[in-house]
Amino acid sequence: MPDFDVAVIGAGAAGLSVAAICAGLGLKVALIERGRMGGDCLNFGCVPSKALLAAAHAAAEARRAGTYGIRLPPPEVDWPAVRAHVHGAIARIAPNDSAARYRGMGVTVIEATARFVAADAIEAGGRTYSFRRCVIAAGSAAVVPDIPGLAAVPYLTNETLFEVEERPGHLLILGGGPIGLEMAQAHARLGCRVTVVEAAPRIAAREDEELALQLRTALAADGVAFREGAKVVRVEAGPALVLEDGSRIEGTHLLLAAGRAPRLDSLGLAAAGVEAGARGIRTRRDLRSVSNKRVWAVGDIADPEGVGPRAFTHVAGQHAGILVRSMLFRLPAKVDYAALPRVTYTDPELAQIGMTEAEAREAGHTDLRIQRWSLAENDRAIAEGRPEGVVKLVVTPKGRLLGASILAPRAGEMAGTYGLMIGRKLPLSALAGLVLPYPTLAEGGKRAAGEFYTPKLLSPAVKRLVGLLRHLPQA
Ligand SMILES: Cc1cc2nc3c(=O)[nH]c(=O)nc-3n(C[C@H](O)[C@H](O)[C@H](O)COP(=O)(O)OP(=O)(O)OC[C@H]3O[C@@H](n4cnc5c(N)ncnc54)[C@H](O)[C@@H]3O)c2cc1C
């Protein structure tokens, strides 16, 4: 008899969901965590970053109150109090993810590093445990790029950023992806000088170009400086980044936000014959290891074949649902990211649901209709003095929504509608016909959808029909 029905390695978003479901179904579950319960999302990721952004947005709102005729003195940033707010948010959520709560569910929580010692056994805290199935949920960590001089210079990652005791004077951020951009705006609005250095030709390289450029303008207005298409060739004391063109940017702090790498280091995968690559643990689309039938992988560390890894907390939750079907109920279940949302939580937020226009073209959709609605035409945006932003829909000629790109304040809150439409393959007419409360920013999407049908509605044939009907007596 194995010691556990299911051994879960890692108590982050993915591992916690899996452990809770398995325990709830009456299985004997071990949850092994070497660091903090809650993993990255709670301790070093989503929660502290959004808490810091909330403080930054409050400062920005105070600064722009004058545009509404409200005169306020320039806001004073009390850095220790901002940190207390950030850590307070973590502390309020922490009990949900705590070892005590999981022990209360009947889970055996082991606070140690787990490593495989056989195809069906792990070692943790000096003891060996056999398992029927093992779920690897060990997550990902910030990539430390191989740049000469970097190792000799103190740098920050998401694991240390929220511990900085004094407000950085000049924060250099290596990487202009979602994490880099969120932290750039947060620090700029909190009064730090910020420079983002991005090797790709532009920031937010994965995102729709039109929206990314508008976001860049908004961040620049907050004071964020950008160096794009800039390759760092050397890091020097300062810290300072030396670029390929010979220029040197010196700051007081350096944050690495140049991508994520799966945490494979301590797992001893070879002992269990679990195949992995640079992107994570290789799994089938049902998240089962391609090489060890007793092993599954979920969350950031999973690299499902054909689709690849995704580093989002909501994906960790989606994976847990797939695992229940595939591992526990032995039902067919597959990872599918067609309707997946992702949000860069800057202000304005950049939300992408499903495919961008470029992704749709890459996927072979050559004939596309692009429906746009600018927030400059949205009554709520105008009333609130925030008319910057756009809703862009990527639609097939037959009116099937493939993707939605939204740049707007709180754009993430609108993602659900588009996820539902894409996931359930609803026609665009469903959105065009939706009755939305007035005035809301969400109306922008409805208007963009409505525009798809306008040429048909105003066609000569329809006009002729209306002309004919005009002569008939009213019933
Ligand atoms: C700054 C930042 C902001 C983010 N913001 C968002 C956001 O707003 N929205 C969003 O959806 N996502 C966000 N993410 C991504 C999100 O945090 C991750 O996708 C999510 O945490 C992944 O969960 P996970 O369970 O796969 O891994 P993790 O949360 O990393 O958990 C893995 C756990 O495994 C443990 N572990 C590793 N190896 C072992 C071992 N051998 N033995 C025992 N334990 C081990 C680790 O200590 C860790 O606690 C953000 C990430 C960062 C860095």
Side-chain angles (χ1 to χ4, degrees):
M1 216 20 204
D3 295 318
F4 293 102
D5 293 314
V6 182
V8 182
I9 303 178
L16 288 170
S17 304
V18 170
I21 296 169
C22 292
L25 290 170
L27 299 176
K28 205 172 166 205
V29 180
L31 177 61
I32 308 124
E33 171 56 59
R34 69 179 180 189
R36 290 200 208 161
M37 294 291 289
D40 269 22
C41 184
L42 173 63
N43 300 293
F44 321 109
C46 330
V47 174
S49 60
K50 267 78 253 178
L52 193 71
L53 279 163
H57 297 340
E61 281 302 304
R63 278 184 206 111
R64 65 188 297 276
T67 60
Y68 304 110
I70 310 296
R71 308 270 163 245
L72 295 177
E76 203 181 299
V77 176
D78 177 347
W79 191 257
V82 170
R83 280 194 61 211
H85 154 70
V86 169
H87 289 281
I90 296 172
R92 280 199 61 178
I93 300 172
N96 294 342
D97 296 355
S98 65
R101 178 159 179 256
Y102 277 75
R103 286 186 178 121
M105 293 179 196
V107 173
T108 302
V109 179
I110 301 167
E111 291 170 79
T113 297
R115 110 190 127 82
F116 287 98
V117 288
D120 61 353
I122 49 172
E123 182 274 323
R127 283 191 58 187
T128 299
Y129 303 95
S130 57
F131 57 78
R132 200 180 298 278
R133 296 158 184 143
C134 179
V135 179
I136 305 176
S140 66
V143 165
V144 180
D146 186 15
I147 304 173
L150 180 60
V153 166
Y155 57 77
L156 301 165
T157 68
N158 65 295
E159 291 186 30
T160 47
L161 178 69
F162 304 104
E163 301 301 329
V164 174
E165 285 181 3
E166 282 181 9
R167 182 169 59 173
H170 182 184
L171 179 64
L172 306 177
I173 302 182
L174 199 60
I179 295 173
L181 296 180
E182 288 180 9
M183 291 304 94
Q185 187 178 51
H187 285 80
R189 288 187 161 188
L190 290 170
C192 310
R193 205 177 140 200
V194 177
T195 304
V196 174
V197 179
E198 168 59 58
R202 65 171 170 92
I203 57 157
R206 268 191 77 193
E207 305 301 342
D208 181 89
E209 186 165 7
E210 180 186 338
L211 275 67
L213 285 175
Q214 289 190 35
L215 176 59
R216 188 189 192 286
T217 305
L219 297 182
D222 281 316
V224 178
F226 294 102
R227 295 295 299 266
E228 291 156 298
K231 189 170 176 240
V232 179
V233 291
R234 203 167 60 251
V235 182
E236 294 178 348
L241 302 177
V242 180
L243 307 184
E244 206 170 24
D245 65 4
S247 57
R248 185 176 184 278
I249 315 161
E250 182 158 342
T252 56
H253 295 73
L254 170 63
L255 170 66
L256 303 185
R260 311 282 301 166
R263 283 196 195 101
L264 302 167
D265 49 324
S266 57
L267 290 168
L269 297 175
V274 175
E275 238 182 70
R279 283 150 54 98
I281 295 185
R282 293 206 181 98
T283 72
R284 304 181 328 192
R285 292 281 282 272
D286 62 0
L287 299 172
R288 195 174 199 173
S289 158
V290 293
S291 54
N292 181 335
K293 285 188 162 184
R294 293 185 184 86
V295 173
W296 275 257
V298 286
D300 286 12
I301 203 167
D303 179 12
E305 57 191 11
V307 288
R310 296 289 191 285
F312 300 110
T313 293
H314 44 280
V315 168
Q318 184 195 27
H319 283 182
I322 289 168
L323 206 76
V324 172
R325 278 173 278 154
S326 76
M327 183 177 89
L328 301 183
F329 292 104
R330 300 169 194 223
L331 292 168
K334 279 184 184 174
V335 171
D336 178 1
Y337 297 140
L340 190 70
R342 59 176 186 261
V343 179
T344 302
Y345 292 92
T346 42
D347 175 29
E349 289 180 0
L350 201 170
Q352 177 63 45
I353 308 97
M355 289 187 258
T356 61
E357 181 184 349
E359 285 167 346
R361 292 197 193 282
E362 251 170 61
H365 296 278
T366 45
D367 192 8
L368 289 174
R369 302 288 177 273
I370 305 300
Q371 304 300 134
R372 279 188 190 74
W373 195 266
S374 163
L375 287 198
E377 312 274 341
N378 178 281
D379 291 2
R380 180 67 178 271
I382 295 167
E384 294 188 343
R386 296 289 312 271
E388 69 277 7
V390 65
V391 180
K392 184 171 169 182
L393 305 180
V394 182
V395 185
T396 65
K398 289 197 167 161
R400 208 182 110 217
L401 185 66
L402 297 175
S405 314
I406 313 171
L407 185 74
R410 301 256 171 195
E413 304 294 338
M414 297 183 223
T417 307
Y418 299 95
L420 197 64
M421 287 205 44
I422 299 169
R424 299 283 155 154
K425 297 188 169 60
L426 298 178
L428 200 63
S429 56
L431 180 59
L434 198 62
V435 179
L436 289 171
Y438 172 87
T440 50
L441 299 181
E443 285 179 297
K446 174 186 157 79
R447 299 298 291 270
E451 292 278 294
F452 179 82
Y453 298 100
T454 307
K456 285 179 195 138
L457 271 176
L458 301 182
S459 68
V462 173
K463 283 183 184 162
R464 268 199 305 279
L465 178 67
V466 172
L468 282 172
L469 291 174
R470 181 175 59 165
H471 298 297
L472 293 180
Q474 202 73 40

